[in-house]
Amino acid sequence: MEASSHLHAKTVCLDAENQPIQTVKLEANTIFMVQVLLHVKEITLLLNNLSETLPPKGQLIIVDFDYNEQVISDKVHNGFKEDKLTQTLHESGFENINRETFYHGKNMFMNKDASLFILTATKIG
């Protein structure tokens, strides 16, 4: 098997909440985030920035915690409600939003039982 010289994936570390993604000239067809939204104050701003980065029909994949009223913290969100996150994604330019809870575990979110979801969305275009 011949090794490919094409780069198909790249990780990027940036402050997309406070730094416009366009300043790093990021081009992506798919953006994959695992437990990122949990730590972001201005989710709408981040989702708008991600939408501007993706081409029409580009894909956003999010893995994060379902809403959990038992989690109380000044540092992170206590998870996400499906209807509210879906509405925010629509307002940020995404469609074909699909969300599924795929894992339940004990003491995994601020020492509380919790569940994780995976969400896929496509940029309108």
Side-chain angles (χ1 to χ4, degrees), residues 14-18 33-44 46-47 62-65 71 73-80 85 108-110 116-117:
L14 58 94
D15 184 356
E17 189 177 12
N18 295 308
M33 300 187 310
V34 178
Q35 295 182 347
V36 171
L37 287 185
L38 194 63
H39 301 278
V40 175
K41 282 187 180 181
E42 297 295 329
I43 292 169
T44 301
L46 174 62
L47 293 175
I62 298 171
V63 175
D64 222 315
F65 285 107
V71 172
S73 173
D74 294 336
K75 297 182 181 186
V76 296
H77 293 276
N78 58 342
F80 300 94
L85 184 54
M108 61 184 244
F109 185 17
M110 307 286 285
L116 288 165
F117 67 85

Side-chain angles (χ1 to χ4, degrees), residues 54 58-61 89 94-98 119-123:
L54 290 168
Q59 188 174 36
L60 176 63
I61 303 169
L89 283 159
F94 291 95
E95 61 185 358
N96 302 322
I97 300 165
N98 296 298
L119 178 148
T120 60
T122 305
K123 180 176 175 182

Side-chain angles (χ1 to χ4, degrees), residues 81-125:
K81 294 182 179 180
E82 181 174 3
D83 56 344
K84 187 172 182 186
L85 184 54
T86 297
Q87 178 182 348
T88 303
L89 283 159
H90 277 297
E91 292 169 358
S92 296
F94 291 95
E95 61 185 358
N96 302 322
I97 300 165
N98 296 298
R99 182 181 187 276
E100 181 179 339
T101 297
F102 68 93
Y103 184 79
H104 299 275
K106 298 216 176 274
N107 301 321
M108 61 184 244
F109 185 17
M110 307 286 285
N111 293 318
K112 306 291 183 193
D113 295 355
S115 57
L116 288 165
F117 67 85
I118 185 166
L119 178 148
T120 60
T122 305
K123 180 176 175 182
I124 294 172

